[in-house]
């Protein structure tokens, strides 16, 4: 309750005028609570997401891609190297000579020298020697053997009878046909390699003698063997 300042008549707090004398009460000042500054910047909330940042994801993806590329490169190199190991190095066309006798021929390095030796079992055999003193003999004989397999078996039996150890027996392809490749370790520690081609009752043979397996299976020797041609 409030009293009129003019007549003292009591009035309720919200009365605009005095009910007795008509005095107008002044309007009460209402205190306005201090509001928040709408322009005040609120601090940024930190993301609580469990997702990784884009940069970290890219780094991990780059690492994974790099590993995959490296593995792919290793596989490709392995395939290339394996393929290369199965192919002999061709002889330079400007540094090779041609041997031809009857319907058989082959190419050999011009640095090889033809030497005079005698094979009592194969008269007319031709002998060459390379820079490593490996001897390469070629001969051609008629045979009663019915197949290359039979020829190979006869060669193995003879080697065992003479005390040689059979180190390798395999079938290879020369001039588009099967050929026999046999490597023997002789009783004296040296090595002999026989590469035989069989066609129409004729046997064409490379006999290669050296002091190690490497000397009789070198790229140079393999290139000569692979150049063999039956017309």
């Amino acid at each position: 309750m409030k009293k009129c300042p003019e007549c003292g008549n009591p009035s309720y707090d919200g009365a605009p005028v005095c009910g007795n004398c008509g005095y107008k009460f002044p309007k009460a000042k209402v205190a306005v609570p201090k509001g928040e500054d709408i322009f005040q910047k609120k601090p940024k909330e930190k993301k609580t997401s469990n997702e990784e940042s884009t940069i970290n994801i890219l780094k991990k993806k780059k690492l994974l891609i790099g590993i995959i590329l490296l593995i792919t490169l290793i596989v490709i190199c392995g395939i290339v190297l394996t393929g290369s190991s199965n192919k002999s190095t061709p002889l330079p066309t400007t540094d090779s000579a041609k041997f031809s006798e009857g319907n058989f021929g082959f190419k050999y390095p011009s640095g090889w020298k033809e030497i005079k030796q005698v094979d009592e079992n194969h008269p007319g055999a031709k002998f060459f020697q390379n820079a490593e003193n490996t001897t390469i003999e070629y001969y051609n004989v008629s045979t009663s053997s019915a197949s290359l397999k039979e020829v190979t078996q006869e060669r193995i039996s003879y080697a065992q009878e003479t005390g040689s150890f059979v180190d390798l027996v395999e079938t290879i392809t020369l001039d588009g046909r099967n050929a026999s490749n046999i490597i023997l370790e002789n009783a004296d520690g040296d090595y002999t390699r026989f590469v035989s081609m069989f066609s129409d009752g004729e046997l064409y043979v490379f006999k290669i003698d050296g002091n190690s397996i490497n000397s009789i299976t070198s790229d140079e020797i393999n290139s000569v063997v692979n150049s063999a041609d039956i017309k």
Side-chain angles (χ1 to χ4, degrees):
M1 296 292 289
K2 59 183 177 179
K3 291 183 178 181
C4 176
E6 292 293 331
C7 65
N9 185 60
S11 298
Y12 62 91
D13 290 336
V17 296
C18 177
N20 181 46
C21 68
Y23 175 79
K24 291 183 178 181
F25 294 108
K27 292 182 178 180
K29 294 182 179 181
V30 180
V32 179
K34 186 178 182 181
E36 295 182 358
D37 187 353
I38 61 172
F39 298 102
Q40 182 178 357
K41 294 183 179 179
K42 295 182 180 180
K44 294 182 178 179
E45 295 181 359
K46 293 183 179 180
K47 294 182 179 180
T48 57
S49 174
N50 292 327
E51 296 181 0
E52 295 181 279
S53 69
T54 303
I55 295 178
N56 288 337
I57 293 175
L58 289 176
K59 285 182 179 179
K60 289 187 177 181
K61 285 187 176 181
K62 285 183 179 179
L63 179 60
L64 179 60
I65 293 172
I67 293 174
I68 293 174
L69 290 176
L70 179 60
I71 294 174
T72 303
L73 182 60
I74 292 174
V75 172
I76 292 174
C77 289
I79 294 173
V80 172
L81 291 176
T82 303
S84 299
S85 64
N86 293 329
K87 298 180 181 179
S88 61
T89 304
L91 293 172
T93 55
T94 58
D95 190 27
S96 63
K98 173 76 175 179
F99 174 85
S100 181
E101 186 176 78
N103 63 343
F104 186 82
F106 59 88
K107 294 180 181 180
Y108 64 95
S110 59
W112 283 15
K113 56 184 179 181
E114 191 170 348
I115 59 177
K116 292 184 178 180
Q117 284 193 16
V118 176
D119 185 339
E120 296 180 354
N121 296 321
H122 306 100
K126 303 295 181 181
F127 292 85
F128 300 88
Q129 193 173 67
N130 65 12
E132 286 72 36
N133 294 323
T134 301
T135 301
I136 301 92
E137 176 186 357
Y138 162 73
Y139 61 84
N140 163 229
V141 294
S142 298
T143 178
S144 59
S145 299
S147 65
L148 181 64
K149 181 179 180 180
E150 188 175 332
V151 171
T152 302
Q153 188 57 53
E154 290 175 356
R155 179 79 64 197
I156 294 173
S157 297
Y158 180 77
Q160 292 173 338
E161 290 174 4
T162 57
S164 296
F165 174 77
V166 180
D167 191 77
L168 174 68
V169 179
E170 66 176 354
T171 299
I172 60 176
T173 302
L174 296 177
D175 193 29
R177 66 190 75 207
N178 288 337
S180 172
N181 184 40
I182 302 174
I183 295 178
L184 307 176
E185 183 178 355
N186 305 318
D188 59 3
D190 288 339
Y191 290 83
T192 300
R193 178 184 181 189
F194 290 94
V195 179
S196 306
M197 300 175 69
F198 180 77
S199 177
D200 298 328
E202 295 291 316
L203 190 62
Y204 306 90
V205 181
F206 288 104
K207 180 184 177 184
I208 307 157
D209 292 304
N211 57 12
S212 68
I213 290 183
N214 289 337
S215 67
I216 63 175
T217 59
S218 65
D219 286 344
E220 182 182 69
I221 297 294
N222 288 337
S223 295
V224 174
V225 170
N226 285 336
S227 70
D229 175 42
I230 299 176
K231 298 178 182 178

